[in-house]
């Protein structure tokens, strides 16, 4: 099967974007893995599919598959690339679109400066909805919000990592570290991702508080590994930091691939939407032969 695609990136988080508005390709998890493979396929952190609106009130469906072939609930950097793609391809003539994702709906806006702002909706803190199962753990408080002492099997013993847990349409565990450059992302990221307390696995964020308006962040993404940027991870880190009293309501998040601006008006209540602004750029277009794979 020959499939046209567009390669895009947002702050270094890279994507293969497929236009399935006219027909669905019916790809298998193995075929998504092939497209994401950096040696034999196109290479990407995620595959984004643009599909027809499933009901009135939204413009498109937005479907995301990780590099491991699994469908996931949300991707903030991908959302920015999504709206840039549908606008550049002439699939919509408005700068603002509303899309259906696995976990709900999102509003996306192409700004005059070429960046994209995404209304990510309110964060989710209810543990069953994240989902997070504490399994007898007792939380501690940092500021007015709890952190959970997550035990990790490490070097023949047990290490304890204090994480803040929430969902931005997908699950996140945020750990504040003193030096993000020295954080054990490669070693402890996989342990957090697959911890038994997270039945659907989790994205592990390692955040350094630079000042009240600046953060540095690295994210080990579920089903992908460490990426150059993670939009929902940046949102989760800022929301956690605001609840703990570390940040103001607008924060620049410096990731290995670029800078995202995250705003959350907690003064309006916990149900205030999280707004994420950042770049979205096309890289190249092409056509690829996708083999039959099950």
């Amino acid at each position: 099967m020959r499939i046209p695609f567009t390669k895009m990136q947002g702050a270094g988080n890279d994507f293969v974007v497929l236009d399935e508005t006219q027909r669905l390709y019916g790809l298998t998890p193995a075929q998504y893995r092939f497209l994401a493979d950096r040696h034999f396929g196109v290479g990407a952190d995620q595959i984004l599919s643009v599909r027809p609106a499933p009901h009135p009130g939204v413009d498109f469906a937005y479907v995301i598959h990780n590099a491991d072939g699994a469908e996931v609930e949300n991707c903030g950097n991908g959302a920015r690339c999504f709206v840039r793609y549908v606008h550049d391809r002439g699939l919509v003539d408005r700068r603002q679109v509303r899309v259906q994702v696995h976990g709900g709906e999102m509003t996306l806006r192409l700004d005059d400066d070429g960046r994209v702002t995404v209304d990510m909706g309110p964060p989710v803190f209810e543990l069953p909805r994240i989902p997070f199962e504490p399994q007898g753990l007792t939380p501690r408080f940092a500021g007015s919000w709890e952190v959970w002492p997550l035990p990790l099997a490490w070097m023949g013993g047990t290490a304890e990592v204090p994480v803040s847990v929430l969902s931005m349409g997908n699950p996140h565990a945020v750990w504040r570290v003193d030096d993000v450059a020295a954080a054990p992302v490669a070693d402890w990221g996989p342990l957090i991702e697959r911890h038994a307390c997270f039945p659907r696995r989790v994205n592990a964020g390692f955040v350094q508080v630079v000042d009240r308006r600046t953060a540095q962040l690295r994210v080990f993404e579920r089903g992908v590994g460490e990426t150059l940027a993670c939009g929902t991870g940046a949102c989760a880190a800022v929301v956690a930091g605001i609840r703990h009293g570390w940040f103001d309501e607008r924060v620049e998040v410096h990731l290995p691939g670029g800078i995202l601006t995250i705003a959350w008006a907690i003064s309006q209540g916990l149900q205030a939407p999280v707004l994420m602004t950042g770049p979205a750029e096309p890289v190249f277009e092409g056509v690829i032969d996708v083999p039959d794979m099950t």
Side-chain angles (χ1 to χ4, degrees):
M1 177 168 46
R2 290 176 58 82
I3 294 180
F5 67 88
T6 298
K7 177 71 177 283
M8 301 190 72
Q9 63 88 13
N13 201 183
D14 63 337
F15 310 96
V16 170
V17 187
L18 306 178
D19 181 354
E20 293 188 274
T21 56
Q22 300 303 311
R23 71 181 181 97
L24 300 182
Y25 295 127
L27 299 180
T28 65
Q31 289 172 318
Y32 285 116
R33 290 194 296 271
F34 170 81
L35 287 173
D37 190 283
R38 298 186 184 279
H39 300 285
F40 298 101
V42 181
D45 294 323
Q46 280 97 15
I47 314 301
L48 312 180
S49 298
V50 184
R51 295 181 182 175
H55 57 78
V58 297
D59 299 290
F60 300 98
Y62 163 40
V63 180
I64 310 125
H65 287 82
N66 272 345
D68 66 356
E71 184 177 349
V72 292
E73 302 91 342
N74 207 348
C75 175
N77 287 325
R80 297 198 316 278
C81 290
F82 185 101
V83 70
R84 176 71 185 269
Y85 176 88
V86 297
H87 188 270
D88 288 356
R89 301 279 293 189
L91 298 176
V92 66
D93 58 5
R94 301 183 308 282
R95 285 186 170 267
Q96 180 166 300
V97 299
R98 190 155 181 83
V99 299
Q100 175 77 47
V101 294
H102 184 80
E105 297 177 4
M106 290 195 305
T107 299
L108 323 173
R109 184 182 75 242
L110 183 62
D111 296 336
D112 292 339
D113 63 1
R115 298 200 301 167
V116 175
T117 296
V118 180
D119 181 340
M120 301 293 294
V124 173
F125 302 111
E126 297 89 345
L127 301 186
R129 292 179 59 200
I130 293 172
F132 175 66
E133 298 173 354
Q135 300 184 1
L137 300 180
T138 302
R140 301 191 295 264
F141 278 81
S144 60
W145 192 42
E146 71 265 10
V147 293
W148 293 88
L150 200 67
L152 302 179
W154 178 248
M155 300 292 287
T158 301
E160 188 177 278
V161 176
V163 296
S164 310
V165 297
L166 69 151
S167 173
M168 286 303 313
N170 53 1
H172 287 270
V174 179
W175 177 19
R176 179 176 178 176
V177 297
D178 293 330
D179 181 0
V180 74
V185 178
D187 292 328
W188 289 17
L191 302 180
I192 297 172
E193 177 200 3
R194 296 183 176 275
H195 196 280
C197 287
F198 298 98
R200 298 181 65 180
R201 296 186 292 163
V202 72
N203 300 286
F206 300 72
V207 62
Q208 177 184 341
V209 177
V210 178
D211 57 44
R212 294 196 60 82
R213 297 184 178 183
T214 312
Q216 292 193 19
L217 178 68
R218 294 168 65 188
V219 181
F220 191 95
E221 289 197 49
R222 176 184 56 168
V224 182
E226 184 177 3
T227 55
L228 293 179
C230 176
T232 57
C235 293
V238 170
V239 167
I242 290 173
R243 288 209 67 181
H244 289 310
W246 307 333
F247 294 131
D248 292 338
E249 293 186 346
R250 185 178 180 88
V251 180
E252 277 199 349
V253 181
H254 295 248
L255 300 116
I259 299 173
L260 300 178
T261 302
I262 310 299
W264 186 46
I266 193 175
S267 56
Q268 298 177 12
L270 296 180
Q271 291 302 304
V274 180
L275 302 180
M276 174 186 60
T277 301
E281 299 291 341
V283 180
F284 61 86
E285 296 183 351
V287 177
I288 187 169
D289 286 311
V290 179
D292 292 335
M293 306 173 76
T294 57

